Amino acid sequence: MRGKTVLISGGNSGIGAAAAQALAERGARLVLACRDLGKAERVRDGIATRSGKEDIHVLPLDLASFASIRELAASVQQRFERLDVLINNAGLFPAQKIVTEEGFEAQFGINPLGHFLLTQLLLDLLRASAPARVINVTSMLHRFGSIDFASFRGET
């Protein structure tokens, strides 16, 4: 992974943090795109200590806000000449109904919609870095529910 740039949404916990650690150990430049910057910086420092890799960047990303997603994409395009791997990892499964800034039920607005927008905004940089990859992390919870296509904003 030397010379490769990898962006991980939600790289400050769980699978995202574990992937970040493994990729840093293999020499990748990391971009941890996270909502909780304090936690992300602590994770970055731990990864740097354990891997000896210092090329780890923390950038703000709130997938519940299309404006935040657009700001992150613009920042990545300005700061990095390439993006070899985009790992769409962050997600949530709220116990109660909450909505995004755009009025979507949060689980739908963040998990697929937020990552779809992020991927679309970074697609030119990914293509320019070919052969690049997009990895979408998900769970098996889809087996236990269904989508009400008449209620994308969670009205019902």
Side-chain angles (χ1 to χ4, degrees):
M1 293 300 295
R2 293 195 198 298
K4 305 287 185 186
T5 301
V6 180
L7 187 151
I8 306 172
S9 70
N12 62 344
S13 65
I15 292 170
Q21 179 69 49
L23 290 163
E25 290 169 358
R26 287 164 178 77
R29 172 197 292 165
L30 297 177
V31 180
L32 305 179
C34 305
R35 187 181 50 201
D36 184 337
L37 296 181
K39 185 175 180 182
E41 289 168 2
R42 289 188 297 277
V43 168
R44 176 200 55 208
D45 294 345
I47 292 171
T49 299
R50 288 186 301 275
S51 70
K53 180 78 173 158
E54 296 292 327
D55 200 2
I56 305 170
H57 308 265
V58 172
L59 294 176
L61 172 63
D62 181 356
L63 286 162
S65 164
F66 287 178
S68 175
I69 296 166
R70 287 184 175 95
E71 289 170 14
L72 172 76
S75 179
V76 168
Q77 291 165 343
Q78 271 185 331
R79 293 177 64 169
F80 304 101
E81 67 283 351
R82 61 183 304 111
L83 180 59
D84 300 281
V85 181
L86 171 60
I87 301 177
N88 290 320
N89 165 71
L92 92 153
F93 183 67
Q96 67 231 13
K97 180 183 172 184
I98 52 177
V99 296
T100 66
E101 284 184 8
E102 287 73 26
F104 292 101
E105 183 278 322
Q107 187 172 340
F108 180 69
I110 292 169
N111 298 352
L113 293 184
H115 283 119
F116 181 81
L117 177 59
L118 179 61
T119 302
Q120 289 301 304
L121 294 171
L122 294 174
L123 209 48
D124 288 342
L125 185 57
L126 287 158
R127 284 184 177 132
S129 306
R133 299 289 183 262
V134 176
I135 299 168
N136 294 308
V137 179
T138 188
S139 73
M140 297 197 36
L141 286 175
H142 68 279
R143 294 178 187 239
F144 304 106
S146 61
I147 295 176
D148 180 355
F149 288 101
S151 179
F152 276 139
R153 297 190 184 274
E155 300 89 349
T156 60

